[in-house]
Amino acid sequence: LYRTNAQSMAFERRLVREGVPYVLAAQRSFYARKEIRDALAYLQLLRNNDTIALERVLNVPPRKIGATSVEALYAASEACGVSLWRAVELYATSAAPLCDADAALIEDRLPKLRANVVNAVRGFYELITRFRALVDQASAAHEEEEALSARGGATALEGDGRE
């Protein structure tokens, strides 16, 4: 039905919406591709602190945050009783005390991460925080546009002759 992989999403969406069964020959479904699943996980992480999405993209593209470091982040989240995202935030911002409980006892139980891993976690945290700020700005601008158009404000402002 189509020649390039870029066209597959439109066909798949339409077939699913219409309830038409289909089989892909010699390729994967658009949404089954790794790069698409990774992109969707990034978007999910921007909307909320989804642990599954975070674990999927924490080292995508490679940032030197391996399985051992992810396990240490999980251990920190369990020791502090916080989410995985909060553990990332704590390591990235070097927040002290790391937990609400007795800081000295908790810090002794927290896994130590190598300096290069902490820097990688910090870089990832800053990237996500920066993107979240951009999403918030875009959402606020969109909401303002919607509010103006819903009440006819944009048209009224365009035609009143003020500059």
Side-chain angles (χ1 to χ4, degrees):
L1 289 174
Y2 56 88
R3 296 181 66 102
T4 65
N5 288 339
Q7 295 171 315
S8 69
M9 184 180 71
F11 279 106
E12 284 184 61
R13 244 190 218 163
R14 185 62 185 252
L15 291 170
V16 168
R17 189 176 11 175
E18 299 296 327
V20 176
Y22 65 95
V23 175
L24 295 174
Q27 77 172 32
R28 293 174 126 186
S29 166
F30 180 81
Y31 294 103
R33 296 182 187 130
K34 181 186 181 319
E35 61 274 13
I36 301 305
R37 291 191 322 258
D38 291 344
L40 291 173
Y42 266 106
L43 293 173
Q44 181 69 22
L45 185 58
L46 292 178
R47 293 190 76 115
N48 60 46
N49 300 331
D50 185 274
T51 300
I52 295 169
L54 173 59
E55 189 174 347
R56 179 174 189 87
V57 298
L58 190 55
N59 201 33
V60 175
R63 296 185 173 83
K64 304 207 187 282
I65 305 171
T68 304
S69 300
V70 172
E71 287 175 22
L73 289 167
Y74 267 114
S77 74
E78 289 175 15
C80 292
V82 296
S83 69
L84 182 60
W85 174 255
R86 180 71 177 133
V88 166
E89 181 180 29
L90 293 172
Y91 277 100
T93 60
S94 300
L98 289 175
C99 305
D100 293 336
D102 183 13
L105 293 175
I106 294 295
E107 286 183 25
D108 291 339
R109 289 189 286 161
L110 286 179
K112 302 294 183 212
L113 295 178
R114 293 186 322 265
N116 65 333
V117 174
V118 172
N119 288 335
V121 168
R122 184 178 298 118
F124 176 77
Y125 173 78
E126 290 170 354
L127 174 80
I128 297 301
T129 318
R130 189 171 58 244
F131 283 154
R132 283 181 175 172
L134 290 172
V135 167
D136 289 344
Q137 288 173 359
S139 295
H142 179 71
E143 287 173 12
E144 289 172 10
E145 258 181 52
E146 289 292 317
L148 281 174
S149 66
R151 64 183 183 123
T155 311
L157 290 176
E158 289 172 358
D160 72 353
R162 289 189 236 166
E163 303 231 0

